Amino acid sequence: MTPIFAHGSLRLYLLSLLAERPRHGYELIQALSDRFGGTYSPSAGTIYPRLAKLEEEGLVTKTAGDRKTVYEITDAGRAELAARADDLANIESEVTDSVRRLADEVRTGVTEAMKSLRADLASAARQKPPEPTKSSADARPTGEANLALKEADMVLNEFRQQVRADLRTQAYRSTMPSDTVSELRRQLDAVRASIRSSLTR
C-alpha cells in the first residue's frame, strides 16, 4: 500500500523532518521512506520543487556545500508547524495505520502458508507406506514418518512465532519494506514446492 499525501500534507511533513535537524534532499527522501515503512518513497522530482517553494515562502533556507545542498527550517517554518500541529498529528496517525495494515497482511500470508504446508505434510503422513522392495527397503516406517510430521509442525510453529515477533518490532519502527508480503509469499511457495517434491520421491 502506498500512502498518498493530501494537498499540502507532504509540504508540512517535510517541514517536520527539517524541524528535527537540517537535511539534504536525499536524506529527506530516505527519512520519508523510513517513516512509511518503505511503502512510500518520493522521487527527487517530488521533493525538490516543494523545497524550492518552501524556500520562496521563507520557511526554509538552504546552504550549498561541496557536493550537497543542506536545507534548514526557519523560525517562520517552525511557526507554520505550530499552527498546523493538528494536521501533522493526523498525518502521523495515517503513517502508523499504513504500517499496521501491512503487518496484518504479512501475518495473514504467513498463517495461510503454514496451514498449506501442514496439510501437505499431514497428507504425506497418511499415505500408505510402500511395500518393502529392493528399491524401497530403506523407506521410512509409518512411526518415523509421524514423528517427522510432528517435528515439522513444531518448526512451522516456531517460524510463525518468530515472524510475528519481528513484525511487532518492525511495525513500531516503521522500517518494513513495501515488497515484504510478496517476497515472503514467494519464499514460502518455494519452500512448499521443495517439501512437496521431497515427499513424492
Side-chain angles (χ1 to χ4, degrees):
M1 178 185 302
T2 302
I4 301 176
F5 282 102
H7 179 69
S9 294
L10 179 53
R11 168 183 176 279
L12 185 63
Y13 210 77
L14 288 174
L15 277 178
S16 72
L17 292 175
L18 291 174
E20 295 176 356
R21 63 180 175 84
R23 304 174 194 255
H24 56 75
Y26 176 77
E27 287 178 320
L28 287 167
I29 292 173
Q30 189 60 49
L32 277 164
S33 179
D34 290 345
R35 293 293 176 88
F36 281 86
T39 60
Y40 176 76
S41 184
S43 66
T46 298
I47 294 300
Y48 286 105
R50 284 170 172 79
L51 289 172
K53 183 65 175 175
L54 289 171
E55 184 184 10
E56 289 177 7
E57 296 171 354
L59 303 180
V60 304
T61 59
K62 68 179 182 182
T63 304
D66 293 337
R67 299 178 59 184
K68 299 174 183 177
T69 298
V70 176
Y71 295 86
E72 186 173 359
I73 193 170
T74 64
D75 290 340
R78 293 185 187 280
E80 172 84 0
L81 279 180
R84 299 188 59 189
D86 290 343
D87 292 338
L88 183 60
N90 289 335
I91 296 173
E92 291 287 5
S93 179
E94 289 171 3
V95 172
T96 301
D97 288 344
S98 294
V99 176
R100 285 177 177 169
R101 282 194 294 270
L102 180 59
D104 288 341
E105 187 177 349
V106 174
R107 290 189 188 97
T108 299
V110 170
T111 298
E112 291 175 353
M114 294 302 99
K115 287 180 180 178
S116 182
L117 283 172
R118 284 178 175 172
D120 288 340
L121 291 168
S123 175
R126 287 195 298 270
Q127 291 178 0
K128 183 179 178 180
E131 294 295 329
T133 63
K134 289 183 179 180
S135 60
S136 61
D138 59 345
R140 242 182 220 182
T142 303
E144 188 177 345
N146 287 335
L147 178 60
L149 173 62
K150 291 179 180 179
E151 291 177 351
D153 197 51
M154 290 176 60
V155 170
L156 293 177
N157 270 325
E158 290 175 1
F159 172 76
R160 183 166 56 183
Q161 290 171 4
Q162 289 172 356
V163 169
R164 283 177 173 171
D166 290 342
L167 286 174
R168 283 193 292 269
T169 301
Q170 293 291 79
Y172 290 123
R173 291 181 180 175
S174 299
T175 57
M176 187 182 300
S178 57
D179 60 350
T180 296
V181 178
S182 58
E183 178 61 19
L184 179 59
R185 285 176 177 161
R186 185 191 69 77
Q187 293 186 17
L188 288 175
D189 284 343
V191 172
R192 183 185 178 200
S194 176
I195 291 175
R196 291 188 65 139
S197 176
S198 67
L199 293 175
T200 56
R201 287 175 185 170

